Amino acid sequence: MTDAAVNDVSVDTRKSGRFLYGASVVFLCAWVIVPIYFLLINTLSSPETVNSFPKPFIPEFDFGSLQFFAGFSGMLTALKNSVIVALLTMIMSIIIGAPAGYALSRFDFPGKGLFRMLILLTRAFPLPLLALPLAVMFIQTGLDDTAFGLALVHTTLAIPFAVLITFSLFSGIPIELEEAAWTLGCTRLTAFTKVVLPLILPGITASAIFAFVISWNEVFAAAVLTIENRTLTAFLLQNLDTSPLHLKFAGGFILVVPALIFIFAVRKYLFAMWGIANR
Amino acid sequence: MAEIQIKNIAKSFGAFQALNDINLTIADQEFMVLLGASGCGKSTLLRIIAGLEVASSGEVWIGGKRIDHLSPKDRGIAMVFQNYAVFPHLTVFENIGFGLRMKKLPNDEVTRRVERVAGLMHIEMLLKRYSGELSGGQRQRVAVARALAMEPDVILMDEPLSNLDALLRMEMRAELKGVLAESKTTAIYVTHDQVEAMSMADRISVMHQGDIVQAASPIEVYRDPAAKFVASFIGNPPMNFLPAKPAGPSKWQVAGQTFDGPNTDKAVLQFAIRPEDMQPAEQGLVATAKIVEPLGAHLLVTCQIGDALFRVILDSDAVVKPGQSLTLAPQPDRVRWFDPDTTLAVA
């Protein structure tokens, strides 16, 4: 075989490789973006357009569907409940998760590896398995159908992430910074508040927002554990079979958008949790 | 007055004994360098003095006060870290003033002191910057300035220059020595760089496997190593060793030559000499040149005497070819003797 032939072969492989790569990227992007785009079109169209066929590919910027959504009885209360539960989840998961993350990154204690495993293990149990016993227990303690009770469950779901994100953030802050602060007149506490906290605050915010999104998106526990005080997800699920198409689209849109925006805002820290450097 | 006394300090990490029974007194205003290879326990000792590590046993006294039970902030020390540990969220000014603010000094006093040490370290123009906007050398200056601003009794430095490039390191070495001498603080400086140790120290403590092998002035450590470890650790290239057999009272035979030596009943000793203390002569040790390295300032010749490799530093004008036979005479007052069993020097 001549050199030219060898070169041709390798150029061909490289070309087809690049094509495959491009195609995969386009496919994966479409996989994520197309449904969200349809959601957007249908939300921003009048109810009539939503229910007709074929559908337009360009949104009409008609707020009829969203108005209908806002006017639907119980919808705004559900939205309010969602926000309350998500805020509670956010606060509790940081208050519990951040100190655990700090301890994991700064102290050596027996059972550290096991502790890390156990934190992850809370995600190993399927929620349906836990939801029913929890419902019984909540009814016994009077926590059922309260925002706080649901936030407790969501906190359990969010804590592993809160611990892991803050763990990686604290680990990213050299211990020497704290030690320097100690030699410069700080106690362990003031070194934390004056040096570590300012450095870690953006990351803590990210982890809090992630907890918010976890709670915001959660359906199952919300549907099982609340009746009167439904969150938006549970409320939409409840009315899924009876509500008109445009209401579903509007509800879906209202659910997806904050989650999307938040996750986009904190993506850097989520990558950090998985150990991918993104700088 | 800030004399430091380290009494019977020992430290173990689990089964690993990092420090065995360290005793050391550092005089007021002395510049003490702890020198050793990595893992010898020098940083651990420094961190115990700083209060960042707790000793397994023993006591640390500073200025006649026992301080090993105090937290770092109450010990009257300031520390410079290897990676500088400049706070990234504060300006250089606030970094240097951090400790002073913690002491709740009035604003004008903080400003006065920050400006003084910033001037000392030549970083006045950087006071408004953040650490992200500084070079390694500048960060290093900030770290030293921050320690000096505390006006501590004792300043502790953990390999402060090792992250700088060679040229900058040499420059900072001299500057740091001057600044510290002027500040009249007692200083303990940890390094693995023997040139740094030799050039800066009033006294060097050579550490090896958790022990202080020798604590003496740089020239004494160099000329009169207390143990074979010191002789082979300090000096580049290190000391040469040759086996010696007794040849009568105070006479020892080395590679066929007889030298005056210590009067002991040992059956074997080690003859030691620095590479630069050998001169070509009519009479002396007969060596075969193996490798000849012209280094500009001088000529480094690695040669063989018996089974042993032997390095000599000759004048750069000397003409030596590999394979050539050399006759080398050691300068008599520079010859040292070591006991191969205890590895200690024999007088």
Side-chain angles (χ1 to χ4, degrees):
Chain A
M1 215 191 292
T2 65
D3 279 359
V6 172
N7 280 339
D8 282 353
V9 169
S10 69
V11 165
D12 272 0
T13 356
R14 218 175 299 145
K15 251 189 200 160
S16 53
R18 209 177 300 147
F19 175 76
L20 206 65
Y21 176 76
S24 316
V25 169
V26 169
F27 176 73
L28 285 174
C29 287
W31 183 274
V32 175
I33 289 169
V34 167
I36 294 176
Y37 185 66
F38 277 125
L39 196 60
L40 179 82
I41 292 173
N42 285 305
T43 307
L44 294 178
S45 302
S46 62
E48 295 74 39
T49 324
V50 173
N51 290 307
S52 67
F53 200 86
K55 305 203 185 257
F57 274 91
I58 298 151
E60 298 177 309
F61 295 104
D62 181 298
F63 294 97
S65 294
L66 282 171
Q67 262 162 14
F68 183 78
F69 170 83
F72 195 85
S73 144
M75 195 62 88
L76 286 184
T77 325
L79 188 62
K80 192 189 78 189
N81 284 337
S82 264
V83 172
I84 291 173
V85 172
L87 284 177
L88 280 174
T89 304
M90 183 169 114
I91 293 165
M92 287 196 290
S93 61
I94 286 308
I95 287 178
I96 301 170
Y102 184 79
L104 269 180
S105 103
R106 286 292 190 254
F107 301 114
D108 267 320
F109 50 88
K112 187 170 163 176
L114 186 71
F115 179 62
R116 276 181 77 173
M117 259 259 298
L118 285 177
I119 287 174
L120 280 178
L121 220 58
T122 56
R123 301 286 327 198
F125 296 103
L127 200 54
L129 204 73
L130 300 172
L132 289 176
L134 267 177
V136 174
M137 218 168 79
F138 275 22
I139 290 169
Q140 284 168 349
T141 50
L143 278 174
D144 62 305
D145 207 10
T146 61
F148 179 69
L150 185 56
L152 267 185
V153 178
H154 287 175
T155 303
T156 323
L157 297 176
I159 272 182
F161 298 103
V163 174
L164 289 183
I165 294 175
T166 52
F167 162 68
S168 79
L169 289 170
F170 284 123
S171 302
I173 293 182
I175 182 80
E176 283 86 352
L177 285 185
E178 275 182 88
E179 290 178 342
W182 299 340
T183 62
L184 290 168
C186 284
T187 60
R188 208 152 188 139
L189 182 70
T190 51
F192 185 83
T193 56
K194 287 199 178 292
V195 175
V196 179
L197 204 59
L199 292 173
I200 204 145
L201 214 52
I204 294 269
T205 316
S207 151
I209 287 174
F210 194 58
F212 185 96
V213 171
I214 286 178
S215 165
W216 179 264
N217 284 342
E218 202 282 327
V219 182
F220 194 88
V224 174
L225 294 175
T226 58
I227 299 161
E228 295 293 321
N229 295 314
R230 299 236 125 161
T231 60
L232 189 56
T233 49
F235 189 78
L236 284 173
L237 183 71
Q238 185 186 15
N239 298 306
L240 203 57
D241 47 346
T242 55
S243 55
L245 198 54
H246 52 276
L247 183 74
K248 290 178 196 163
F249 276 122
F253 185 73
I254 295 294
L255 275 175
V256 164
V257 165
L260 264 185
I261 291 173
F262 284 163
I263 292 289
F264 186 75
V266 302
R267 66 195 183 284
K268 181 174 137 196
Y269 298 95
L270 299 180
F271 286 141
M273 171 176 68
W274 293 309
I276 304 166
N278 181 40
R279 298 196 184 272
Chain B
M1 281 296 285
E3 184 192 69
I4 305 169
Q5 284 173 297
I6 295 156
K7 299 179 179 173
N8 306 102
I9 285 284
K11 172 75 183 174
S12 52
F13 297 101
F16 175 68
Q17 191 76 22
L19 293 172
N20 330 301
D21 197 32
I22 298 285
N23 284 287
L24 186 66
T25 301
I26 299 159
D28 182 38
Q29 297 187 25
E30 189 174 22
F31 194 127
M32 170 63 87
V33 170
L34 303 179
L35 175 66
S38 54
C40 71
K42 56 191 192 303
S43 283
T44 307
L45 182 58
L46 192 79
R47 291 171 58 84
I48 286 172
I49 298 168
L52 300 174
E53 204 84 66
V54 180
S56 305
S57 61
E59 299 173 6
V60 181
W61 295 65
I62 294 179
K65 213 173 80 181
R66 185 171 173 190
I67 52 107
D68 49 82
H69 57 285
L70 299 177
S71 55
K73 68 186 175 69
D74 301 321
R75 295 187 175 203
I77 53 127
M79 186 153 169
V80 180
F81 293 83
Q82 182 174 4
N83 63 3
Y84 322 132
V86 174
F87 304 129
H89 61 297
L90 298 176
T91 60
V92 168
F93 184 97
E94 286 305 325
N95 259 288
I96 299 175
F98 187 88
L100 309 176
R101 296 237 190 263
M102 290 308 296
K103 280 188 186 167
K104 304 220 163 29
L105 293 185
N107 254 327
D108 52 337
E109 172 72 4
V110 173
T111 311
R112 195 185 61 76
R113 282 219 222 169
V114 169
E115 280 172 357
R116 191 182 69 82
V117 293
L120 224 52
M121 296 308 296
H122 308 296
I123 47 172
E124 307 95 319
M125 61 296 182
L126 304 176
L127 287 176
K128 290 202 178 76
R129 302 245 195 118
Y130 286 90
S131 110
E133 304 163 321
L134 303 178
S135 69
Q138 290 171 330
R139 257 176 249 177
Q140 220 285 320
R141 286 166 186 275
V142 174
V144 175
R146 185 173 64 184
L148 288 174
M150 298 292 285
E151 296 176 5
D153 299 328
V154 177
I155 187 161
L156 306 171
M157 285 171 280
D158 190 0
E159 310 227 8
L161 303 184
S162 64
N163 283 0
L164 301 180
D165 61 62
L167 205 65
L168 202 55
R169 200 181 313 162
M170 208 156 83
E171 193 185 303
M172 280 301 292
R173 200 165 73 198
E175 203 176 317
L176 206 52
K177 186 176 179 176
V179 167
L180 284 170
E182 207 164 305
S183 73
K184 300 197 191 310
T185 41
T186 311
I188 307 182
Y189 187 105
V190 162
T191 183
H192 62 266
D193 182 336
Q194 48 165 306
V195 183
E196 225 167 88
M198 296 287 293
S199 69
M200 297 177 89
D202 292 325
R203 246 185 339 143
I204 299 178
S205 293
V206 183
M207 295 188 66
H208 182 51
Q209 293 179 349
D211 285 304
I212 292 180
V213 187
Q214 185 174 15
S217 71
I219 200 67
E220 197 179 337
V221 166
Y222 189 78
R223 287 267 182 263
D224 296 304
K228 198 178 162 188
F229 170 77
V230 180
S232 52
F233 185 72
I234 300 217
N236 184 23
M239 257 184 163
N240 292 303
F241 300 96
L242 288 174
K245 289 214 152 50
S250 299
K251 297 279 182 204
W252 295 83
Q253 198 178 41
V254 180
Q257 294 289 312
T258 306
F259 292 92
D260 288 336
N263 187 7
T264 80
D265 49 7
K266 290 275 176 196
V268 62
L269 279 185
Q270 270 183 310
F271 164 94
I273 183 94
R274 292 244 169 238
E276 68 271 26
D277 296 334
M278 306 280 291
Q279 287 302 322
E282 296 291 308
Q283 259 222 317
L285 300 167
V286 180
T288 316
K290 290 277 176 200
I291 303 163
V292 181
E293 297 166 75
L295 299 179
H298 46 249
L299 189 71
L300 175 62
V301 183
T302 307
C303 39
Q304 195 166 8
I305 298 180
D307 300 334
L309 283 183
F310 201 91
R311 290 197 188 86
V312 281
I313 291 177
L314 302 178
D315 189 89
S316 50
D317 288 338
V319 181
V320 181
K321 290 202 168 52
Q324 185 183 331
S325 176
L326 295 169
T327 308
L328 301 162
Q331 206 173 312
D333 60 328
R334 296 281 170 85
V335 175
R336 299 292 178 266
W337 303 87
F338 292 93
D339 180 340
D341 298 328
T342 63
T343 78
L344 296 179
V346 183

